[in-house]
Amino acid sequence: MRPLPPALSRLLVLTTLLTALPAAAGKIQLGDDAVLNVDVLLQPQMQLIKDGAPTGGVGTDFFLRRVRLLVFGSITKKLSFFIDTDQPNFGKNGDYSPAFYIQDATVAYEFADKTWVEAGFILAPLSHHALQGAVALNTVDYHSELIRYPLGVGKVWRDMGVQVRGFAGPWAYRAAILNGVEGATLENGQVVNPDDLPRAVGTVRYNVWGHEYDPFLRGIYFTEEPLLSFGVAGDYQYSAIATASGVHDAVALAADVFLDVPMGDDQEFVLQSNVFSWQQGFDNVRSGTGFFVELGYRIGIIEPVLTTEYFNGRVAAQDLLTFRPGFNLWFQKHTFNLKTEVAVSRAGDIAHATTGITGTAQLQLFY
């Protein structure tokens, strides 16, 4: 018999493996403690934007908000890893050229009971919301306008470094030493981070009810036991920001509350609020104080959600006010769902700004 071409042979082997694994749902047991998980996250979005069309009418846009491949697992009971990729906003406004990149890449070792040291490309531990995974948000998307890390630091809220994460009784904590802004002499002669010192980020949470043990926190847990926690956090790097007025330290402070309470037969109430203070120079448009509040009440698969955001900039006419009523359908919880919202916002000089309106519907498949 004539042998098959090598490429066809490899394709047949791959097809056989894939058809043999659906019952494992991406989980492959490699040994007593060694497990490999391969998952995908797909979030197609549709948006309707007021005045978004060239004629001034309603603009329409269909695109992939996120398309991720996640590879994670454990090698021993104490040694684990997590890697994922992303190519966000693929096709938005007709642009199919967004970069494909590594989103997270960490290795973690549990050196004591419920205490891990992690190294790699790490999600900076500032506030409950900033630590949430995109898979498990209770809203369509993050409150990105309120997360204002210094420009040029890491990528999408991640940074290179090392972190200790753990639990002690009702307390949870994360402390990270990260790259931050690299020491450099700028073209205008200003020197940022002259001693090339690292960035320090840390958070402490007090859990009144329950615990959130996941490395990536969630916006809704579909919980049968109440969860209530309060957190404070800080982010600091010396001489990291250059503005027209000089070189400034980069300082961020945050506080938050998270509540997820079952209210009866397949019902729950969810509340989350985060406050942020960004201090990067009084003449920096990224400096200021902001907060958001999320409220949701789930009845079975149905959940109305109401969110508001506010940011008060240190620079004049750099404010933001947004209301986001929404409606979620949790067909299979975080595995398969549909989230919708209408964002009504004013930015800049809020009192005189034009009101923007954007309607969004997002389908999610995580498997």
Side-chain angles (χ1 to χ4, degrees), residues 30-302:
L30 301 176
D32 292 340
D33 302 314
V35 177
L36 177 65
N37 297 273
V38 180
D39 291 335
V40 294
L41 172 63
L42 187 63
Q43 292 179 337
Q45 254 190 36
M46 179 193 71
Q47 287 192 333
L48 302 176
I49 307 101
K50 175 192 172 187
D51 301 327
T55 59
V58 176
T60 60
D61 204 2
F62 295 86
F63 59 98
L64 292 179
R65 176 64 186 92
R66 293 179 181 87
V67 52
R68 295 184 182 179
L69 175 65
L70 301 87
V71 180
F72 59 98
S74 61
I75 299 171
T76 68
K77 286 184 178 180
K78 296 183 177 295
L79 183 61
S80 60
F81 64 94
F82 182 90
I83 302 169
D84 73 335
T85 65
D86 201 2
Q87 192 169 15
N89 298 319
F90 185 68
K92 187 172 185 178
N93 296 319
D95 182 4
Y96 293 91
S97 63
F100 177 83
Y101 56 81
I102 297 296
Q103 178 90 355
D104 300 272
T106 61
V107 57
Y109 183 74
E110 187 179 9
F111 64 90
D113 184 43
K114 292 184 176 63
T115 306
W116 294 264
V117 60
E118 299 173 328
F121 199 41
I122 295 169
L123 191 59
L126 186 75
S127 89
H128 190 280
H129 182 63
L131 285 167
Q132 288 178 190
V135 170
L137 297 173
N138 196 33
T139 49
V140 170
D141 215 326
Y142 291 98
H143 304 280
S144 300
E145 291 292 334
L146 302 180
I147 309 295
R148 301 191 171 208
Y149 296 122
L151 294 175
V153 170
K155 193 176 182 69
V156 288
W157 307 359
R158 278 80 171 168
D159 203 352
M160 292 290 183
V162 62
Q163 170 178 261
V164 176
R165 173 174 63 90
F167 299 85
W171 297 94
Y173 59 89
R174 303 187 191 211
I177 299 296
L178 307 171
N179 264 344
V181 174
E182 292 287 349
T185 300
L186 306 181
E187 292 182 359
N188 62 6
Q190 290 178 309
V191 180
V192 293
N193 195 7
D195 297 314
D196 207 19
L197 298 174
R199 168 191 180 195
V201 190
T203 184
V204 176
R205 302 197 65 77
Y206 183 77
N207 295 281
V208 180
W209 299 329
H211 284 82
E212 298 174 81
Y213 289 113
D214 296 336
F216 297 95
L217 305 183
R218 305 184 188 186
I220 181 171
Y221 280 83
F222 304 95
T223 183
E224 296 180 357
E225 300 293 335
L227 295 168
L228 173 62
S229 64
F230 299 87
V232 293
D235 184 348
Y236 176 78
Q237 189 171 21
Y238 173 73
S239 294
I241 304 296
T243 70
S245 64
V247 178
H248 309 275
D249 298 347
V251 180
L253 302 172
D256 64 76
V257 57
F258 179 75
L259 173 68
D260 191 344
V261 182
M263 301 296 291
D265 185 21
D266 201 19
Q267 300 182 37
E268 65 184 309
F269 172 74
V270 184
L271 162 68
Q272 182 176 192
S273 182
N274 287 213
V275 179
F276 304 94
S277 175
W278 304 96
Q279 303 168 32
Q280 303 175 22
F282 281 97
D283 55 343
N284 189 334
V285 295
R286 299 181 69 78
S287 291
T289 300
F291 72 88
F292 74 81
V293 178
E294 292 179 5
L295 293 170
Y297 194 94
R298 182 183 62 83
I299 304 173
I301 69 168
I302 301 170

Side-chain angles (χ1 to χ4, degrees), residues 12-23:
L12 289 174
V13 171
L14 179 60
T15 302
T16 302
L17 287 173
L18 291 175
T19 55
L21 291 174

Side-chain angles (χ1 to χ4, degrees), residues 293-338:
V293 178
E294 292 179 5
L295 293 170
Y297 194 94
R298 182 183 62 83
I299 304 173
I301 69 168
I302 301 170
E303 183 194 15
V305 179
L306 178 61
T307 300
T308 184
E309 304 167 345
Y310 177 71
F311 185 80
N312 180 24
R314 285 187 170 186
V315 177
Q318 294 295 322
D319 302 335
L320 173 71
L321 178 63
T322 306
F323 295 97
R324 300 177 183 271
F327 192 80
N328 298 339
L329 292 173
W330 302 101
F331 302 116
Q332 295 185 38
K333 299 181 181 179
H334 294 304
T335 298
F336 182 54
N337 58 64
L338 175 66

